[in-house]
Amino acid sequence: MKKFKDRMESRPLVSLIVILVVCGILSGGDFFSLQIVDGHLYGRLIDILRNGSRYMVLAVGMTMVLATGGTDISVGSVMAISGALACSIVDMRILPGLGGNTLAAVAIALAVGALCGAWNGFLVAKLKVQPIVATMILMTAGRGIAQLIADGKIVTITSDSYYYISGGYILGLPFPLYIAAFMLIAALLITKKTAFGLAVEAIGVNSRSARLAGIKVDRNIWLIYIFCGVCAAIAGLIESAGIKGADCNNCGLMIEMDGILAVAIGGTSLSGGRFSLIASIIGALVVQTITTMILAFGVAPEVIRVFKALIVIVICLAQSPAFIARMKGVFGREKVVAQS
């Protein structure tokens, strides 16, 4: 039991269980009801897994970035670029020579996502621009690039193969869940089975010491931002496939907060260092469960962001050494007064 409490996954997992229990109580158990239709599972729990898949994919990439002490607030714009590009290719608005091939559209969208990540990594690793400033450039310009790709319009498509990215099922479970699982397993293999994970932690703790220890800090940071760009592109494909089109104004809008929130709930320090990909995935499920709970009980959608903002405040305070020390001092004094 003690070992479980010491693991980073314990707190977000307990939070997720508590939220699910509250949902079950308030709904009279209906929240956990599942139905099988045409061999596919349906229900709010399945909705959480399907809709939370893009958060899970983003959380994998964002965890790696935050673990190095950086940040990426451009993922929403990269999602918009990815969705606009893929849908425009499938609709043959651009590159008509590809014949609207879905695989080609996905491959090009992922390549452009990697290119966006490479741009962010170049600014951060090579030009030493502050991560929040470097990624703010693409956050601002990226949505405009997406609008240019889509010619300022909402691109709608009817491709069943493209819709399968979000609406498909395998063994009764949503296909996006398998995408998120693949990205998680790939990242776990890289960070657990190679020295890359230790290098990421070392860079986050002290990049100067990591460089003196022989770690190629700039190269690793560059690779991490490229990986985060690919994750954002995948999330953009999932979202655009879900609505069968590309809405450049709303695709990934403010999702940067959700990605950072998921990682923070997972326990990864926002200043870098120790991280857990599995804990971040659980954090993403917490974020999606909160959203699903609020919508399920008829609360106004605009309240969702207020709840998330409050959670961010609590997490930031919980990670602040000064705040923790102050609270210990206050409760310590109260205890001394009570004993006297």
Side-chain angles (χ1 to χ4, degrees), residues 3-23:
K3 289 184 178 180
F4 174 75
K5 289 176 63 178
D6 293 337
R7 293 180 62 87
M8 291 183 66
E9 296 85 358
S10 60
R11 291 186 179 180
L13 182 58
V14 170
S15 300
L16 178 60
I17 292 173
V18 169
I19 294 173
L20 288 174
V21 170
V22 171
C23 290

Side-chain angles (χ1 to χ4, degrees), residues 15-21 23 31 44-45 48-49 52 55 282-297 308:
S15 300
L16 178 60
I17 292 173
V18 169
I19 294 173
L20 288 174
V21 170
C23 290
F31 196 86
R44 288 201 176 103
L45 292 180
I48 290 173
L49 294 175
Y55 292 132
I282 299 173
L285 290 174
V286 170
V287 172
Q288 182 58 50
T289 303
I290 292 173
T291 303
T292 302
M293 176 184 67
I294 294 174
L295 294 176
F297 296 128
K308 291 178 180 177

Side-chain angles (χ1 to χ4, degrees), residues 105-172:
V106 169
I108 293 173
L110 294 181
V112 171
L115 183 63
C116 291
W119 165 255
N120 288 333
F122 173 74
L123 293 178
V124 175
K126 296 298 182 182
L127 299 187
K128 307 303 178 184
V129 180
Q130 287 290 334
I132 193 169
V133 177
T135 56
M136 188 181 296
I137 296 172
L138 189 57
M139 175 188 178
T140 304
R143 207 162 287 277
I145 294 173
Q147 290 279 12
L148 290 174
I149 293 172
D151 197 24
K153 301 175 182 177
I154 296 178
V155 181
T156 57
I157 57 174
T158 58
S159 171
D160 292 335
S161 59
Y162 189 78
Y163 175 69
Y164 190 86
I165 297 174
S166 177
Y169 282 83
I170 296 179
L171 299 177

Side-chain angles (χ1 to χ4, degrees), residues 50-51 54 79-80 83-84 87 143 153-159 162-168 176 235-253:
R50 181 194 295 107
N51 297 330
R54 57 198 176 106
M79 286 176 61
C87 289
R143 207 162 287 277
K153 301 175 182 177
I154 296 178
V155 181
T156 57
I157 57 174
T158 58
S159 171
Y162 189 78
Y163 175 69
Y164 190 86
I165 297 174
S166 177
L237 293 174
I238 294 173
E239 181 162 334
S240 60
I243 63 173
K244 296 185 178 182
D247 184 355
C248 300
N249 286 325
N250 296 308
C251 180
L253 187 63

Side-chain angles (χ1 to χ4, degrees), residues 80-96:
I81 293 174
S82 169
L85 187 59
C87 289
S88 296
I89 292 174
V90 172
D91 193 48
M92 292 190 287
R93 291 170 178 259
I94 60 176
L95 301 178

Side-chain angles (χ1 to χ4, degrees), residues 7 59 81 91 97 109 115 128 150 173 179-180 187 190-191 200-201 219 231 298 304 309 312 322 335:
R7 293 180 62 87
I81 293 174
D91 193 48
L115 183 63
K128 307 303 178 184
L173 294 175
I179 298 176
I190 294 172
T191 56
V200 172
E201 286 193 22
R219 186 189 68 178
C231 289
I304 295 174
V312 170
K335 185 176 181 180

